[in-house]
Amino acid sequence: MPPLEANYDESINKSTDFVDDHKWGKLFPSCVADPDRSSQFMTRMIYVAFSTVLHRRGILSTEYFSKNYITEKSRCLTLCFKNPKALAIAQKLKSAGEAVKKGYLKELSLVLSNNEDDEEAFEVYSLKFHYFKDGGVAAYFSTNAEGDQQSPLEKLSRVDYKGTGSVKDQLLSLLRGVLYMTQKILTPLQEGYAANFRVNYTDETPEDFKIDGFSDSNAFYTLPQDIQSATIGHVRPGHHGAVFECASIHMNDAYQAEMSMKRYHAKNCDALGYNANETLFTTMDSENDPKASQTLIDSGTPASNEKKNTTVENLAKSFDQNATVVTPKQTRTTRRNAGEAVKTRTSPYGKTRSRK
């Protein structure tokens, strides 16, 4: 059976909070309000989001993907279970989703670096997770101790769950954000790089816990001092939340990139008939931008050069050989007020340049 085969018992759902879309129900739960379905949604969101990045950034060629529907009118290419190497990657992503169910995963990142074992990355796609006790808003992220601008993850902690239909629109907006980021904002990748997935755990994670397919290492990743970053999107099912971000040396200006992303999201939300919660973006501009796609999430070929067959083969081989790393588990953060935020293991990577 494929690693992400949907097998939901929706008969127990008696509420009006559901998405009535046959294609959606094949991959995602029709309702994402309770803890189990919320975590199931997150597992499949991880699979779809990183599949889209791997394809649209040209990291893996189209032979590793197959067509999948998100809704009746929206489709994308996802890792193909019939391809052994793509299946191995999908299995690792599923294992990461199981760590979300346990409340152990803080961050899952696709890291691009010059060499496989490099600590410094030149491009990173990171999903940062937040857990909502009993599905409620986490008020302990309401202020910043130093009065600085809140991060998107801190802002996410104050976002209410607004129903499965809203989560569907958030996911569609996030995936279209990936397309816009890779096609319109980032310059093409050069040949000769390494890629792997790296994870960071919450502080509540048992010391002996390890996600299947990931091995321990002495570092997470670091970013160059002047690297640029921007938010791609977010999702907020009933008991979880995640922010998807990109940091890259191939991004010319973070402020302009995020303004452009926000305008593009606004166009998408208009097309979806969805009133977007835009508080997760740093910038507050609302100028017009290119039109949003209204039907397909993914079509055609990636903006990156798919002729890099040697690079693609090496990347697939590195994934297949478990070339993934996790953060060390020896360091725990301490806070003056234990109730102020969820405790997390520290990671040594540097912050990206702040945007005024």
Side-chain angles (χ1 to χ4, degrees):
M1 178 181 291
L4 292 163
E5 185 75 18
N7 185 23
Y8 309 119
D9 178 9
E10 298 294 356
S11 63
I12 63 174
N13 176 33
K14 304 299 184 182
S15 74
T16 58
D17 176 16
F18 68 96
V19 171
D20 184 15
D21 186 296
H22 177 68
K23 298 293 187 182
W24 173 270
K26 281 190 171 183
L27 187 58
F28 299 100
S30 295
C31 177
V32 297
D34 65 79
D36 285 344
R37 287 175 177 76
S38 182
S39 64
Q40 288 169 342
F41 167 81
M42 295 297 281
T43 299
R44 287 155 178 78
M45 179 275 297
I46 289 170
Y47 161 68
V48 172
F50 281 112
S51 291
T52 304
V53 171
L54 288 168
H55 176 243
R56 299 307 304 182
R57 196 60 172 133
I59 297 172
L60 295 179
S61 58
T62 53
E63 67 188 270
Y64 296 97
F65 302 91
S66 60
K67 183 173 68 175
N68 217 331
Y69 279 86
I70 306 301
T71 68
E72 295 284 356
K73 297 182 179 180
S74 302
R75 67 187 182 190
C76 66
L77 293 182
T78 53
L79 290 164
C80 178
F81 299 148
K82 294 181 180 180
N83 183 302
K85 294 175 181 178
L87 176 62
I89 302 171
Q91 290 281 14
K92 292 179 184 180
L93 296 177
K94 179 187 177 185
S95 296
E98 292 170 350
V100 172
K101 182 175 183 179
K102 297 177 183 292
Y104 294 163
L105 187 58
K106 175 186 176 183
E107 180 178 346
L108 172 64
S109 296
L110 174 61
V111 177
L112 307 187
S113 56
N114 291 322
N115 301 290
E116 184 178 310
D117 297 324
D118 286 354
E119 182 177 338
E120 183 172 273
F122 65 79
E123 187 164 300
V124 176
Y125 297 86
S126 60
L127 265 175
K128 299 176 181 178
F129 299 92
H130 187 72
Y131 301 89
F132 294 85
K133 184 178 180 180
D134 300 324
V137 175
Y140 46 71
F141 267 152
S142 59
T143 60
N144 186 296
E146 298 179 358
D148 294 335
Q149 194 170 47
Q150 289 183 328
S151 71
L153 193 63
E154 289 172 327
K155 294 175 181 178
L156 176 68
S157 71
R158 304 200 66 188
V159 175
D160 285 306
Y161 169 64
K162 297 180 179 179
T164 305
S166 177
V167 176
K168 172 181 67 70
D169 291 337
Q170 290 166 5
L171 178 62
L172 291 172
S173 185
L174 183 152
L175 295 178
R176 289 172 179 173
V178 171
L179 267 67
Y180 190 75
M181 174 67 71
T182 54
Q183 292 177 318
K184 301 295 185 180
I185 294 178
L186 301 177
T187 58
L189 292 171
Q190 303 299 313
E191 292 190 35
Y193 59 86
N196 53 40
F197 285 97
R198 307 187 187 187
V199 299
N200 194 5
Y201 295 114
T202 63
D203 199 47
E204 286 72 23
T205 308
E207 292 296 325
D208 61 350
F209 177 82
K210 183 176 69 173
I211 299 175
D212 291 343
F214 292 80
S215 58
D216 290 327
S217 74
N218 294 323
F220 191 29
Y221 62 83
T222 62
L223 295 171
Q225 186 99 28
D226 59 348
I227 198 169
Q228 305 291 294
S229 69
T231 301
I232 296 175
H234 76 280
V235 291
R236 170 62 166 101
H239 287 252
H240 303 83
V243 174
F244 204 25
E245 298 178 328
C246 174
S248 179
I249 63 171
H250 295 283
M251 186 185 305
N252 293 326
D253 184 270
Y255 182 80
Q256 293 297 327
E258 196 157 88
M259 282 200 304
S260 182
M261 285 293 298
K262 183 182 175 183
R263 295 193 295 266
Y264 181 71
H265 275 291
K267 291 285 187 180
N268 270 313
C269 293
D270 286 344
L272 293 168
Y274 163 56
N275 184 18
N277 185 320
E278 298 178 335
T279 60
L280 303 192
F281 291 98
T282 301
T283 58
M284 291 296 172
D285 193 87
S286 60
E287 297 174 13
N288 293 326
D289 210 45
K291 295 181 180 179
S293 171
Q294 298 185 28
T295 54
L296 300 184
I297 291 176
D298 206 348
S299 61
T301 57
S304 300
N305 182 6
E306 283 205 38
K307 295 181 179 179
K308 298 178 290 186
N309 293 327
T310 302
T311 300
V312 168
E313 179 62 27
N314 289 338
L315 287 168
K317 183 178 178 181
S318 73
F319 283 127
D320 196 40
Q321 293 177 337
N322 293 325
T324 49
V325 296
V326 304
T327 45
K329 300 181 179 180
Q330 68 270 21
T331 307
R332 295 177 184 267
T333 59
T334 58
R335 294 181 179 272
R336 295 180 181 178
N337 184 355
E340 186 172 276
V342 176
K343 293 180 179 179
T344 56
R345 291 195 179 97
T346 58
S347 59
Y349 66 90
K351 298 289 185 180
T352 58
R353 188 175 73 179
S354 62
R355 297 177 292 281
K356 300 299 183 181

